[in-house]
Amino acid sequence: MWSVLWAAVRSKAPYVTFPVAFVVGLVGYHLEWFLRGDPSPTAEEEQSISEQREERKLQEIAGKDLTKVVSLKDKLEFAPRAVLNRNRPEKS
């Protein structure tokens, strides 16, 4: 008898578990909203992530002189490293 009962409970578990989990989540969501209140959005929250990124980039380059760059001849980081640096030309 117990095996028949457990088989029935096991087969019907998703139909019972989902509504219970849904109700618990709904009550928890509204309880958290009630406890925290309705915060007013600040200026940072109104901007999207891409807008915040663009503003940060503009602030970073605001004080820099963008005309002074390193020559590609002096910059060797783009070249792949050879074994034991044999193929890399020596800087003089």
Side-chain angles (χ1 to χ4, degrees):
M1 181 68 186
W2 282 106
S3 62
V4 173
L5 181 67
W6 283 117
V9 168
R10 195 177 323 130
S11 66
K12 303 296 183 196
Y15 302 110
V16 175
T17 309
F18 178 72
V20 171
F22 184 77
V23 169
V24 169
L26 192 65
V27 169
Y29 174 78
H30 286 292
L31 181 66
E32 183 178 354
W33 177 81
F34 177 73
L35 292 175
R36 288 189 180 195
D38 191 20
S40 59
T42 61
E44 289 182 2
E45 292 175 351
E46 291 176 359
Q47 293 179 341
S48 68
I49 299 296
S50 59
E51 290 173 344
Q52 291 176 5
R53 183 181 302 128
E54 291 297 324
E55 284 193 21
R56 188 184 70 239
K57 285 181 181 179
L58 287 173
Q59 289 174 357
E60 286 177 359
I61 65 172
K64 294 181 181 177
D65 184 14
L66 300 177
T67 59
K68 295 182 181 179
V69 294
V70 180
S71 171
L72 287 178
K73 292 179 183 178
D74 297 335
K75 191 174 181 181
L76 295 175
E77 286 84 30
F78 69 92
R81 292 188 152 233
V83 178
L84 301 176
N85 292 333
R86 277 191 262 169
N87 297 337
R88 182 172 289 189
E90 295 294 326
K91 290 175 86 174
S92 53

